[in-house]
Amino acid sequence: MNRKIFKRQALEQLKGNWTPFVLASLIFSAISFIFEMPFLRNYFRAISRLGSVTSIENYYYNLGYIFGSSFLFLLVLGAIVAPMFTLACAKLAKSYVENHNVENAEKITLNTFFSHLKKSGRGIGNFWWTWLWLVLWEFAVLIPGIILLAIITFISHSVSAAYFLAAILYIAVLVVVINRSIAYSMNWFILAKDPSVSVFDAMKISKNITNGQKGDLFILDLSFLGWAILSVFTLGIGFLWLLPYMQTTKYNALLYLIQDYNKRTSNPIFVTDSADASNQATFTSATDSKLDENNPYFANDINSSSKKDEE
């Protein structure tokens, strides 16, 4: 996997028409701010009251209010609004990729994003389904680890050994969560590519096509770290451009992963376009196009017949 190709593709596909994607990022930031303000105001107001409470009941009331406000904010924004925007942005990335170098392609505008957003309710289901599996994997490592830690600590009576084992357990959980997060990372783009794919099937496909590619995908994510740090120093303004860059790059990576999977398996899969096969089977046989990383536009071969995004 050559991440430089995907990133160069993304810049070419976004060239001359960054505005719709940047505005979509700005809208999400504005909505996040609107949701966040009342909760943050009450949050800091409750914190300021903790030092002046006159009874233990009032103390726990304010403490509960703090956690309640935080949880409600995370539930509304993180589990409902953000997933819909994430899927809509993945669909917008698809539009940029598939419309690039296509004659008479429909121009991408902010209305393109809004049309995707209206049909992004599955993003909520994808968020919860992915979150559930990440939690299950975390507990699958954490629970046996805690039991083993307790047994060894009880036998050895060593505090230092307990700390050492706890550190190893923490690292093990972190590695497993990162590994599974990468395995499920293509869910969003698979759902964006084919509206007939269910949330459950999207996860299965993502696990299959990322098998053996997780290290490269991890490095691909790390390659944006420098831009993310620079965006922080611009008070977050840089993220308005970084999000389109990342999403479009990831969609190009998806097309590569599909081709690569189809080349190395006896049972190839291919996520069809809605323009080619609405209400038909989710998967068809692999295309005959050859995978050529030396061609910076190899991903377009997959969708050369798609004139526009009809989702």
Side-chain angles (χ1 to χ4, degrees):
M1 177 184 292
N2 193 330
R3 65 183 182 279
K4 293 181 180 179
I5 290 179
F6 307 146
K7 297 173 84 169
R8 184 167 70 246
Q9 284 179 276
L11 292 175
E12 286 292 330
Q13 291 151 356
L14 290 163
K15 186 178 180 180
N17 196 26
W18 284 79
T19 303
F21 221 143
V22 171
L23 289 177
S25 303
L26 180 62
I27 290 171
F28 176 64
S29 299
I31 291 178
S32 300
F33 180 77
I34 293 173
F35 270 97
E36 185 177 356
M37 282 306 297
F39 294 115
L40 286 180
R41 184 179 65 250
N42 294 331
Y43 179 85
F44 288 113
R45 183 180 299 172
I47 288 180
S48 65
R49 292 174 180 172
L50 288 178
S52 60
V53 293
T54 57
S55 66
I56 190 66
E57 290 82 4
N58 287 335
Y59 178 84
Y60 283 113
Y61 172 81
N62 281 275
L63 195 62
Y65 190 85
I66 291 174
F67 285 108
S69 298
S70 302
F71 175 77
L72 186 58
F73 163 68
L74 290 175
L75 180 63
V76 174
L77 180 64
I80 298 177
V81 179
M84 292 185 64
F85 267 83
T86 301
L87 182 54
C89 286
K91 290 182 177 181
L92 191 58
K94 172 191 174 182
S95 297
Y96 273 94
V97 172
E98 295 188 349
N99 284 15
H100 186 62
N101 284 347
V102 175
E103 294 182 4
N104 301 320
E106 183 178 338
K107 183 176 177 59
I108 298 173
T109 64
L110 189 59
N111 287 333
T112 307
F113 171 75
F114 285 128
S115 66
H116 291 326
L117 187 61
K118 293 177 183 177
K119 304 174 183 179
S120 295
R122 288 190 305 161
I124 300 173
N126 184 58
F127 170 83
W128 284 108
W129 184 239
T130 303
W131 177 83
L132 174 62
W133 276 100
L134 289 176
V135 170
L136 290 176
W137 274 106
E138 184 176 348
F139 278 110
V141 178
L142 193 60
I143 293 176
I146 291 176
I147 295 174
L148 181 62
L149 175 63
I151 294 174
I152 293 177
T153 303
F154 177 79
I155 295 175
S156 65
H157 299 287
S158 173
V159 176
S160 59
Y163 283 133
F164 176 74
L165 292 173
I168 292 184
L169 178 59
Y170 174 80
I171 294 173
V173 171
L174 186 62
V175 169
V176 169
V177 170
I178 292 175
N179 179 278
R180 291 296 87 194
S181 296
I182 296 174
Y184 307 148
S185 63
M186 288 295 145
N187 291 12
W188 302 98
F189 303 98
I190 293 168
L191 291 173
K193 182 162 178 56
D194 193 331
S196 66
V197 178
S198 68
V199 169
F200 312 104
D201 288 335
M203 177 174 286
K204 294 177 183 177
I205 300 168
S206 183
K207 288 189 294 183
N208 287 335
I209 65 177
T210 58
N211 186 30
Q213 304 281 4
K214 296 184 187 69
D216 289 329
L217 288 171
F218 181 67
I219 294 174
L220 176 62
D221 288 333
L222 285 182
S223 68
F224 292 103
L225 182 60
W227 290 112
I229 294 173
L230 290 176
S231 298
V232 171
F233 286 107
T234 63
L235 300 179
I237 296 176
F239 284 106
L240 300 180
W241 281 264
L242 181 58
L243 176 62
Y245 185 25
M246 291 180 63
Q247 292 289 94
T248 310
T249 298
K250 284 293 198 69
Y251 193 85
N252 286 318
L254 169 71
L255 299 180
Y256 167 84
L257 291 172
I258 291 172
Q259 280 191 312
D260 179 69
Y261 178 81
N262 289 339
K263 286 190 65 178
R264 57 187 172 88
T265 183
S266 59
N267 186 27
I269 60 173
F270 183 78
V271 183
T272 63
D273 293 310
S274 58
D276 296 332
S278 59
N279 300 323
Q280 294 183 9
T282 300
F283 310 114
T284 63
S285 59
T287 60
D288 295 329
S289 58
K290 294 182 178 180
L291 183 63
D292 182 10
E293 286 190 345
N294 294 320
N295 177 3
Y297 301 108
F298 72 87
N300 291 325
D301 294 339
I302 299 179
N303 301 295
S304 59
S305 63
S306 178
K307 298 284 185 171
K308 62 179 181 177
D309 181 12
E310 296 186 6
E311 294 182 29

